[in-house]
């Protein structure tokens, strides 16, 4: 794999660090140095934007067909089990198979599912059951694909550029998170569900075309065939790496205890501001987008574990403040601050994973990571909704935020390796950096 921006020594470039405004702007080194990273990034941007069209259109169609909130909520239920099962198995597949081929086939499969939704929407009387089937299958394919995507990035990006790549990937996701739902609402309202599914289908076609141009990424010779034994091997490795275990645990705690999305409609009503609901949903990704656009500083931070702990605790405190406030504008502000803190945590978690996990285990560890950031929010909706029913909406929000901050502090005390992690001296980071240095980079 070529990395045109690698320094001759395999270490960080000797170029002077940027200053002033340039120091805040995203570090584009991975984009400039790796054509495969550019292709993967553009593919993800396009498919992410299209997927948000279906993300909005699917529950809208379910509501139109059933007029049942329970039926809409059941979409998340049918997605949960495939996410857990196929997330772990997808990690094993990513280690054993060619990562690019796995991404292409799962992306094509998602396109076929989108085509099925389009055909159903064009029927004189659309059926309900295909929506559940597609939701479950899409969750399975997405869970298989994500570990391959995460495992491919370190293959196509220079080691010292991985924190910048994590920031750019976060920027891609947050742009989709802000723009996708906004455009989806307009398309569904004025053009119809069929057009939303059709545009999403087109984005999958374009995305596959980009991924096909990426160089092959075959499995490491040391990678075993997918099996329960290989999945358990990855889990044992994660358990033995307490700093990695800390990142998973902190992300799970933050999402389970302080994710307020399920109660936002009720919070808007309680604040006598139903008009603010859309802004509440947009505030978290908007805050994340601001951090992504000013993420240049993240490449110059070495103690990633401390930043994970600090930003996750601040996420919890920001959500607590949003729940305690009675002013809707302050609520929106604190939700945005929380989104920014969560993005900082995500950037440094990704940097730690990418810069320390061996290539032959990267897929399986990405599968475990998928569970930490996907299952947490799903279960968090249950927690926040149940607490709101028992103690009130605002109490559900602020108490969850405080519990999150407390849990993060407790985990930091129990896992000191996370707080002492330094990418310059960590034995796993040093070993991986030396391996890449010894692998004489090909220039072209």
């Amino acid at each position: 794999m070529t990395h045109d921006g690698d320094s001759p020594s395999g270490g960080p470039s000797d170029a002077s660090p940027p200053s002033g405004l340039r120091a805040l702007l995203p570090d584009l080194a991975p984009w400039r140095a790796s054509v495969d990273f550019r292709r993967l990034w553009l593919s993800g941007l396009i498919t992410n934007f299209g997927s948000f069209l279906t993300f909005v259109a699917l529950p809208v169609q379910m509501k139109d067909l059933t007029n049942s909130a329970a039926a809409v909520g059941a979409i998340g239920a049918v997605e949960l089990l495939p996410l857990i099962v196929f997330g772990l198995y997808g990690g094993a597949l990513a280690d054993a198979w060619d990562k690019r081929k796995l991404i292409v086939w799962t992306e094509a499969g998602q396109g076929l599912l989108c085509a099925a939704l389009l055909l159903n929407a064009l029927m004189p009387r659309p059926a309900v059951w295909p929506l559940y089937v597609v939701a479950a299958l899409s969750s399975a394919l997405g869970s298989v694909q994500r570990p391959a995507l995460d495992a491919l990035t370190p293959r196509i990006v220079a080691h010292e550029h991985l924190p910048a790549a994590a920031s750019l990937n976060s920027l891609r996701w947050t742009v989709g998170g802000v723009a996708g739902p906004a455009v989806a609402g307009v398309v569904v309202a004025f053009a119809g569900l069929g057009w939303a599914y059709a545009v999403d289908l087109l984005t999958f076609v374009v995305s596959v075309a980009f991924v096909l141009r990426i160089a092959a990424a075959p499995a490491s010779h040391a990678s075993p065939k997918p099996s329960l034994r290989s999945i358990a091997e990855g889990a044992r490795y994660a358990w033995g790496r307490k700093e990695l275990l800390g990142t998973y645990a902190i992300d799970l705690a933050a999402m389970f205890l302080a994710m307020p999305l399920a109660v936002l409609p009720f919070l808007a009503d309680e604040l006598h501001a139903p008009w603010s609901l859309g802004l509440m949903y947009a505030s978290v990704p908007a805050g994340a987008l601001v951090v992504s656009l000013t993420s240049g500083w993240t490449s110059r931070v070495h103690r990633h574990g401390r930043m994970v702990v600090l930003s996750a605790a601040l996420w919890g405190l920001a959500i607590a403040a949003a729940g305690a406030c009675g002013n809707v504008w302050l609520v929106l502000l604190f939700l945005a601050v929380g989104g920014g803190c969560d993005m900082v945590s995500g950037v440094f978690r990704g940097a730690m994973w990418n810069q320390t996990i061996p290539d032959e285990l990267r897929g399986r560890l990405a599968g475990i990571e998928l569970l930490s950031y996907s299952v947490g929010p799903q279960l968090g909706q249950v927690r926040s909704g149940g607490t709101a029913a028992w103690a009130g909406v605002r109490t559900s929000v602020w108490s969850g935020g405080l519990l999150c901050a407390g849990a993060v502090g407790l985990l930091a005390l129990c896992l000191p390796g996370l707080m002492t992690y330094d990418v310059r001296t960590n034995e796993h980071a040093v070993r991986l950096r030396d391996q890449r240095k010894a692998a004489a980079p090909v220039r072209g």
Side-chain angles (χ1 to χ4, degrees):
M1 208 63 61
T2 62
H3 301 302
D4 298 336
D6 284 356
S7 62
S9 65
S13 171
D14 296 330
S16 300
S19 59
L21 180 59
R22 288 186 58 201
L24 292 177
L25 295 177
D27 184 354
L28 299 180
W31 178 277
R32 291 192 296 264
S34 172
V35 64
D36 281 343
F37 179 76
R38 292 197 294 273
R39 290 166 178 160
L40 188 65
W41 194 92
L42 290 171
S43 167
L45 178 67
I46 293 167
T47 193
N48 188 40
F49 176 81
S51 294
F52 270 107
L53 293 174
T54 297
F55 177 79
V56 172
L58 189 64
V60 168
Q61 186 177 22
M62 182 66 76
K63 175 179 176 294
D64 291 344
L65 293 176
T66 67
N67 197 31
S68 167
V72 176
I75 295 175
V78 302
E79 292 174 336
L80 184 57
L81 183 60
L83 187 153
I84 296 172
V85 174
F86 288 93
L88 291 173
Y89 190 67
L93 287 175
D95 284 335
W97 290 6
D98 186 301
K99 297 165 183 59
R100 186 199 62 173
K101 289 183 179 179
L102 193 57
I103 294 169
V104 168
W105 284 110
T106 51
E107 195 80 346
Q110 294 274 28
L112 291 176
L113 293 177
C114 193
L117 289 175
L118 175 59
L119 291 175
N120 184 58
L122 295 177
M123 298 290 288
R125 298 183 64 180
V128 171
W129 66 265
L131 306 188
Y132 288 120
V133 172
V134 167
L137 292 176
S138 179
S139 177
L141 286 175
S143 299
V144 169
Q145 183 189 81
R146 184 57 189 265
L149 285 169
D150 290 345
L152 179 59
T153 298
R155 286 279 194 98
I156 61 179
V157 174
H159 188 271
E160 67 272 16
H161 293 162
L162 286 172
S167 296
L168 290 175
N169 284 335
S170 299
L171 174 61
R172 180 192 70 199
W173 283 103
T174 52
V175 167
V178 173
V183 174
V186 175
V187 171
V188 170
F190 294 100
L193 293 163
W195 278 102
Y197 296 139
V199 173
D200 191 13
L201 175 59
L202 179 61
T203 63
F204 280 117
V205 173
V206 177
S207 175
V208 168
F210 272 109
V211 178
L212 283 172
R213 299 186 63 195
I214 295 175
S220 166
H221 294 300
S223 297
K225 294 182 178 180
S227 65
L228 291 176
R229 183 176 181 179
S230 69
I231 294 172
E233 180 185 356
R236 284 194 298 272
Y237 177 84
W239 183 260
R241 293 277 310 279
K242 300 307 181 187
E243 71 277 22
L244 284 185
L245 193 64
T247 65
Y248 297 136
I250 282 178
D251 190 32
L252 187 62
M255 294 298 99
F256 173 66
L257 294 170
M259 178 56 76
L261 295 184
V263 299
L264 289 184
F266 304 96
L267 180 61
D269 288 343
E270 192 163 307
L271 295 174
H272 307 290
W275 53 266
S276 68
L277 179 59
L279 294 176
M280 287 185 182
Y281 278 120
S283 292
V284 173
L289 179 60
V290 171
V291 169
S292 297
L293 291 173
T294 58
S295 61
W297 60 274
T298 60
S299 296
R300 297 182 292 280
V301 174
H302 305 293
R303 297 186 179 275
H304 298 161
R306 292 184 182 181
M307 292 302 298
V308 170
V309 170
L310 176 62
S311 53
L314 289 176
W315 151 263
L317 293 177
I319 296 302
C325 286
N327 181 286
V328 65
W329 294 108
L330 288 177
V331 170
L332 294 172
L333 173 62
F334 283 120
L335 287 175
V337 170
C341 294
D342 184 50
M343 176 56 64
V344 173
S345 176
V347 166
F348 288 108
R349 290 196 312 269
M352 287 179 66
W353 299 330
N354 288 335
Q355 290 186 313
T356 65
I357 297 174
D359 183 73
E360 64 272 13
L361 285 165
R362 202 178 297 278
R364 279 165 286 175
L365 272 291
I368 296 173
E369 176 250 333
L370 174 69
L371 298 186
S372 75
Y373 72 75
S374 297
V375 174
Q378 296 274 11
L379 296 178
Q381 304 314 306
V382 178
R383 185 216 62 83
S384 61
T387 305
W390 171 61
V393 174
R394 290 175 62 184
T395 299
S396 172
V397 178
W398 68 254
S399 65
L402 291 181
L403 286 171
C404 167
V408 168
L410 183 61
L411 287 168
L413 289 175
C414 294
L415 298 167
L418 182 63
M419 294 296 290
T420 59
Y421 175 88
D422 188 323
V423 69
R424 297 168 297 185
T425 57
N426 178 267
E427 60 176 312
H428 303 282
V430 171
R431 182 183 303 118
L432 199 60
R433 187 161 55 241
D434 289 345
Q435 287 175 355
R436 298 192 67 168
K437 177 181 177 180
V442 178
R443 298 178 180 276

